Amino acid sequence: KAGVTQTPRYLIKTRGQQVTLSCSPISGHRSVSWYQQTPGQGLQFLFEYFSETQRNKGNFPGRFSGRQFSNSRSEMNVSTLELGDSALYLCASSVTPPGGTNEKLFFGSGTQLSVL
Amino acid sequence: QKEVEQNSGPLSVPEGAIASLNCTYSDRGSQSFFWYRQYSGKSPELIMSIYSNGDKEDGRFTAQLNKASQYVSLLIRDSQPSDSATYLCAVLVYGQNFVFGPGTRLSVLP
């Protein structure tokens, strides 16, 4: 079974631009979560989608948004990029929403975003 | 605010020794606990999950949970250089999202 697939693997943007990241979950997984990872802050939760609905959102500004499609694939968008947005963006999938009993998260390889 | 704390390390142990990684959490409603391993430049990989008090063993790995003390640990027996990685503790409150600790960097010296 294929794992969580994220594209692109690397991305270089300049301040003020916007970016869209893509995530395809493991087949049969309907929940997708997004995390930002930086050396100083560790893994920070961005948001989680299940059945095309955003169920939880972390403490990030409105410049960060996402959506989920009917096939469970998800996209994350960051508008008006800032230098501080440089990070590894990880997508994780699970069968059901993370709040369920005995649920586990499986991560993709991530998108390394550099903002110049 | 829910918090998960870990010693950042690096924790250095000689090959063949037992590595002990610790994690504390603040939310008493936490009910599921996980250990992820992350190699440099790679994504986190789930290695252990534990849901009830006590020990859970899987090969060279043992997870220990003490909900009264809000403490979870990971023991790695017969540590190998290939175990050198950052170990992330994650905590889940049902109905909410996972909260990750900052990770402990483990270095196993040949």
Side-chain angles (χ1 to χ4, degrees):
Chain A
K1 185 185 278 192
V4 179
T5 304
Q6 289 188 248
T7 56
R9 185 70 180 91
Y10 301 95
L11 208 48
I12 300 175
K13 292 286 188 179
T14 57
R15 279 183 302 173
Q17 287 187 309
Q18 76 166 26
V19 65
T20 299
L21 312 181
S22 179
C23 172
S24 293
I26 292 172
S27 177
H29 286 198
R30 295 172 60 196
S31 174
V32 173
S33 302
W34 288 90
Y35 289 83
Q36 181 195 66
Q37 188 174 36
T38 58
Q41 298 294 319
L43 268 168
Q44 300 292 312
F45 172 74
L46 282 156
F47 27 66
E48 183 254 327
Y49 289 87
F50 179 77
S51 293
E52 302 179 65
T53 301
Q54 185 181 93
R55 296 182 64 254
N56 280 307
K57 189 177 192 303
N59 294 324
F60 279 82
R63 300 185 297 106
F64 292 81
S65 63
R67 59 178 176 168
Q68 185 181 35
F69 303 94
S70 58
N71 61 359
S72 295
R73 191 178 71 85
S74 178
E75 287 183 348
M76 188 192 104
N77 185 77
V78 187
S79 62
T80 318
L81 284 166
E82 300 177 359
L83 295 178
D85 296 334
S86 295
L88 178 66
Y89 290 87
L90 290 162
C91 166
S93 75
S94 57
V95 175
T96 58
T101 305
N102 296 339
E103 197 47 81
K104 300 179 177 67
L105 279 182
F106 296 90
F107 285 88
S109 298
T111 294
Q112 184 66 54
L113 172 64
S114 297
V115 182
L116 306 178
Chain B
Q1 183 172 342
K2 304 178 184 61
E3 291 185 353
V4 177
E5 297 184 351
Q6 299 178 252
N7 289 327
S8 61
L11 172 66
S12 295
V13 300
E15 184 175 355
I18 295 175
S20 178
L21 306 165
N22 304 316
C23 170
T24 58
Y25 58 94
S26 62
D27 191 334
R28 286 195 171 275
S30 303
Q31 295 180 280
S32 299
F33 307 86
F34 306 85
W35 283 98
Y36 284 81
R37 176 177 63 200
Q38 186 173 24
Y39 291 113
S40 181
K42 302 294 185 182
S43 60
E45 170 194 15
L46 178 66
I47 55 172
M48 288 287 289
S49 60
I50 187 166
Y51 307 103
S52 55
N53 282 329
D55 295 358
K56 179 181 178 182
E57 187 174 318
D58 184 0
R60 295 187 296 112
F61 298 97
T62 298
Q64 300 174 316
L65 175 62
N66 184 326
K67 290 186 179 180
S69 300
Q70 296 175 248
Y71 175 90
V72 59
S73 66
L74 179 70
L75 300 178
I76 306 175
R77 290 182 300 281
D78 188 24
S79 296
Q80 301 298 309
S82 59
D83 294 325
S84 297
T86 296
Y87 289 80
L88 302 170
C89 173
V91 170
L92 178 64
V93 175
Y94 289 156
Q96 302 183 31
N97 55 281
F98 284 72
V99 179
F100 285 82
T104 297
R105 191 154 56 93
L106 172 67
S107 179
V108 180
L109 307 175

